[in-house]
């Protein structure tokens, strides 16, 4: 009986901690989703490609800066990056875009502020951009070898482009695409030119609160539950002895490179790691390396660019993650930054009613049976 009561008490505390984290995160997730929808609607992919052409520091820097806010994970960014490269982006710019884009995004930045505090919210996108720049410059210095990139896809009509569109265009309906006149040789379809501003914005927001939210909602819940469980069972600083140095970073790096986790869903896991006493530098390695790549992304990159490109890609991610992780630990110690205290401060910024409103809205949008009754979000007929 005592064991059963203890188990019930643990479950109760896990639920309470998970709910508290959800309340803190929900309003910022909603802000991130709306921002991602606006970016989706108003950042044409073909124009991105024209901005990223040429070699040197400036195109590589532009690729990292432009890619950082885009709401794309390490799988979704692959077809977009391939399309940009085939449309004229340089190899260095493509590498920079490939790394900076999945490591952060407007949705994950908003969630980071709610769950990780202001220091980690700033250091995360800054190091993501710098990682992209470093790797892009490294890639631009390495010759492509004998591998020849796959030729652009031949697309005979806009309808065909919609059938093979990348994850970045999943929010564009086939009907809208067929009315567009801006399909290009890479198979990318930009339907925005045939819409007015309100329709274009609405389509982007619809994409964010349906396609994008569906991509990470379950994993976000799993991450929050894991964080709630850690807060309940692991006392603060319990892992600080083992989770602060270079060996811990190397272990996290190897695990992170192999597995798939997106930026938003990884944020509550990072919160749990911080609360368990793992150093901010080790957590940053997880946030950078875990989101930048996974084993499933290496095949398409090898086919398009060759093994030399893949090696530079992995080496750049690894060196940058470890280097910025060590630097982050140094800065935290030198400036006497209390990361755990910052977590509690950001959780108290919003009044309770805004948290409840955000949690209710996010729950309705995440549950498809409830979402389908909202105006403009009903599933399109087949």
């Amino acid at each position: 009986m005592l064991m059963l009561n203890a188990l019930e008490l643990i479950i109760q505390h896990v639920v309470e901690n998970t709910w508290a984290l959800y309340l803190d995160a929900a309003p910022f997730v909603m802000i991130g989703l709306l921002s991602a929808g606006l970016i989706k609607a108003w950042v044409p992919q073909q124009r991105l490609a024209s901005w990223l052409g040429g070699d040197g520091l400036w195109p590589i820097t532009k690729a990292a800066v432009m890619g950082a806010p885009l709401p794309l994970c390490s799988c979704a960014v692959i077809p977009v990056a391939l399309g940009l490269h085939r449309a004229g982006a340089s190899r260095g710019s493509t590498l920079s875009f490939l790394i900076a884009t999945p490591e952060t995004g407007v949705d994950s930045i908003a969630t980071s502020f709610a769950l990780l505090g202001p220091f980690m919210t700033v250091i995360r996108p800054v190091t993501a951009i710098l990682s992209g720049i470093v790797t892009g410059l490294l890639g631009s210095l390495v010759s492509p070898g004998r591998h020849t990139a796959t030729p652009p896809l031949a697309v005979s009509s806009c309808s065909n482009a919609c059938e093979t569109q990348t994850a970045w265009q999943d929010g564009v309906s086939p009907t809208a695409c067929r009315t567009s006149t801006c399909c290009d040789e890479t198979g990318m379809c930009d339907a925005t030119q045939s819409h007015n501003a309100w329709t274009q914005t609405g389509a982007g927001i619809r994409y964010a609160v349906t396609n994008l939210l569906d991509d990470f909602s379950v994993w976000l819940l799993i991450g929050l539950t894991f964080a709630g469980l850690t807060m309940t069972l692991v006392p603060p600083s319990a892992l600080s002895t083992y989770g602060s140095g270079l060996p811990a970073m190397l272990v996290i790096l190897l695990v992170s490179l192999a597995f798939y986790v997106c930026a938003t869903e990884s944020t509550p896991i990072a919160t749990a790691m911080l609360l368990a006493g793992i150093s901010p530098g080790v957590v940053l390695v997880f946030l950078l390396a875990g989101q930048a790549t996974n084993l499933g992304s290496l095949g398409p990159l090898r086919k398009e660019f060759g093994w030399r490109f893949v090696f530079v890609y992995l080496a750049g991610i690894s060196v940058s993650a470890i280097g910025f992780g060590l630097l982050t630990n140094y800065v935290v110690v030198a400036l006497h930054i209390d990361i755990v205290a910052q977590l509690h401060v950001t959780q108290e910024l919003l009044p309770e009613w805004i948290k409840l409103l955000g949690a209710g809205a996010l729950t309705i949008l995440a549950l498809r049976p409830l979402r389908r009754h909202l105006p403009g979000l009903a599933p399109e007929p087949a």
Side-chain angles (χ1 to χ4, degrees), residues 202-217:
I205 293 177
R206 174 189 169 90
Y207 163 83
V209 300
T210 55
N211 298 58
L212 182 59
L213 181 58
D214 288 344
D215 285 342
F216 70 77
S217 58

Side-chain angles (χ1 to χ4, degrees), residues 237-251:
S237 302
L239 300 178
S240 58
T241 304
Y242 307 99
S244 298
L246 180 61
M249 291 183 184
L250 293 174
V251 171

Side-chain angles (χ1 to χ4, degrees), residues 176-217:
C177 191
R178 281 194 295 268
T179 62
S180 174
T181 58
C182 47
C183 294
D184 67 9
E185 62 178 2
T186 68
M188 294 186 291
C189 179
D190 185 359
T192 57
Q193 293 184 6
S194 59
H195 292 285
N196 59 40
W198 286 108
T199 303
Q200 183 172 329
T201 302
I205 293 177
R206 174 189 169 90
Y207 163 83
V209 300
T210 55
N211 298 58
L212 182 59
L213 181 58
D214 288 344
D215 285 342
F216 70 77
S217 58

Side-chain angles (χ1 to χ4, degrees), residues 295-308:
L295 293 179
S297 66
L298 301 184
L301 293 180
R302 185 210 62 80
K303 183 178 180 181
E304 179 79 11
F305 299 104
W307 280 116
R308 192 172 298 182

Side-chain angles (χ1 to χ4, degrees), residues 277-350:
I278 295 177
S279 71
V282 176
V283 173
L284 184 66
V285 172
F286 166 71
L287 291 174
L288 293 179
Q291 286 76 76
T293 188
N294 63 84
L295 293 179
S297 66
L298 301 184
L301 293 180
R302 185 210 62 80
K303 183 178 180 181
E304 179 79 11
F305 299 104
W307 280 116
R308 192 172 298 182
F309 182 95
V310 172
F311 174 78
V312 173
Y313 173 65
L314 293 176
I317 292 172
S318 302
V319 171
S320 299
I322 295 294
F324 288 124
L326 293 172
L327 180 61
T328 296
N329 277 347
Y330 174 81
V331 171
V332 168
V333 172
L335 300 182
H336 306 287
I337 299 174
D338 191 337
I339 299 295
V340 176
Q342 289 190 359
L343 300 183
H344 298 303
V345 169
T346 55
Q347 291 169 1
E348 297 172 359
L349 285 177
L350 298 179

